[in-house]
Every structure is written in C-alpha cells, then in structure tokens.
Amino acid sequence: MKHAIVALLLSLMSAPTWAHNGDHHGIWSGLMHPLTGVDHLFALSLIGLLAARQLTLSRTLLLGLGSFLIAAMIGQLGWLPPMFEATLALSLIILAALAARVLKLNSYALLPLLAGLAAMHGLAHGAEAPGGAATTQFFVGFLLSSTTLLSLGHLAGRGIERGMLSNLLLKLSSAASAGTGLALLLTNG
C-alpha cells in the first residue's frame, strides 16, 4: 500500500509536464490541454470555487475566461514573464491558501487577484498554442475545457458555502493544490 501511494504521488507530480510539452494542434489538443495537467485542473477549478464566494456563475466565467483569453492571446505572441514556471507554481499555493481560508482577502482584492491568476495560466496556454490555422481550433477546445473546469469549481464552491458539499472536499483540494505547487517549485524552480 505504501508503494502505491508513493507511485500515485510521483505520477501526480509529473502530470503537469504532460500539458506543457509543446505538442499541440487542433481542437482535441485544446480540449485535453487543461485536463492533462494537474496544475491547470487545480488552478481553474479553484478560481471557479473562490469566485463563487462573490459572483454568479456567468460573472465567474466572464472574470475567469476573459482574463484567461486576453492573456492567452498575449502568450501566443511569445511573451512570458521571467521565472514563469515558478509563478505558475506559486499561483497554486496562493489559490490553495485562499480556498482554505488561510489567506483572507476582501472582494476588492480577491477578484483582481483571481483575474491575474487566471491570466497567468492563460499566458501558459497561449504560449503553447499552435500557430497557423490550428490556433483557432486549439483556442476553442481549451476554452470549452476551461469553461467546464471553472463551472465545476463554481458549483463546488456554491455547494460548500450552502453546506451541500463537505468542507473535506475543500480541504483536500486545497492541500493537493498546495502540494502540487510546492512540487512544481522544487522540480522547476
């Protein structure tokens, strides 16, 4: 049993690199990109979960996808900030701390921070998008997957706030996100 847990943890630690291999083309790659990296899964679902504390689903999607798409277009142009992978890893730790309510911000600070974190992950998607005709297909695919992850996160957040889902889900996802962020910092930082 102990070896199975270690194997699972190691596979989760390597999963973020699957989404960052640069081999992307067409709608299928766009659909799968956010789903094949644990970093993208946590970032998008936790942004949705946190936004649910302040916003309706439609506004959550506008905040998340709007920031994400604008930054993806900038990433498509090839611009990435210095120490980008470390920034993505830190974003997972920040999102985990916010979700677990270890770090508390009022809505005037929370929503711009969530938009900024969504933008950071959008830059990653845009930088890895294919050029040419496949770009539009890739963007359509990753926007569909990203919409799904943000929506599921939002619904989970609403369920937790209303007592319909256990806080254990929040604690486990926060711990897993922070652990993934730390693992990424150690392996890429």
Side-chain angles (χ1 to χ4, degrees), residues 4 32 49 53 58 78 81 93 115 118 139 147 152 157 160 174 182 188:
M32 295 309 296
L49 184 143
R53 295 178 183 169
S58 61
I93 296 168
F139 278 166
T147 299
L152 290 173
I160 290 167
S174 296
L182 184 59
N188 296 321

Side-chain angles (χ1 to χ4, degrees), residues 47-60:
I47 288 169
L49 184 143
L50 288 162
R53 295 178 183 169
Q54 306 284 330
L55 302 173
T56 62
L57 177 58
S58 61
R59 289 186 176 159
T60 295

Side-chain angles (χ1 to χ4, degrees), residues 38-48 91-92 95 121 150 177:
V38 174
D39 56 335
H40 294 308
L41 287 169
F42 284 129
L44 292 168
S45 59
L46 286 177
I47 288 169
S91 75
L92 296 178
L95 287 166
H121 287 270
L150 284 166
S177 177

Side-chain angles (χ1 to χ4, degrees), residues 30-172:
L31 281 167
M32 295 309 296
H33 186 83
L35 304 175
T36 56
V38 174
D39 56 335
H40 294 308
L41 287 169
F42 284 129
L44 292 168
S45 59
L46 286 177
I47 288 169
L49 184 143
L50 288 162
R53 295 178 183 169
Q54 306 284 330
L55 302 173
T56 62
L57 177 58
S58 61
R59 289 186 176 159
T60 295
L61 292 174
L62 182 62
L63 172 90
L65 294 176
S67 304
F68 196 79
L69 185 57
I70 290 167
M73 288 188 272
I74 294 169
Q76 178 79 48
L77 298 173
W79 183 82
L80 293 176
M83 298 179 55
F84 185 64
E85 289 292 328
T87 304
L88 290 176
L90 283 173
S91 75
L92 296 178
I93 296 168
I94 292 167
L95 287 166
L98 289 168
R101 299 184 194 264
V102 172
L103 177 62
K104 296 179 183 179
L105 296 175
N106 64 34
S107 62
Y108 297 112
L110 177 64
L111 297 178
L113 178 63
L114 292 179
L117 294 174
M120 292 305 297
H121 287 270
L123 278 172
H125 284 282
E128 295 164 346
T135 302
T136 302
Q137 293 175 346
F138 179 82
F139 278 166
V140 167
F142 89 63
L143 283 174
L144 288 171
S145 288
S146 298
T147 299
T148 301
L149 292 172
L150 284 166
S151 298
L152 290 173
H154 186 275
L155 293 172
R158 290 285 183 192
I160 290 167
E161 294 295 316
R162 293 179 180 158
M164 296 174 354
L165 291 175
S166 169
N167 272 333
L168 181 61
L169 173 67
L170 180 64
K171 291 175 185 176
L172 289 174

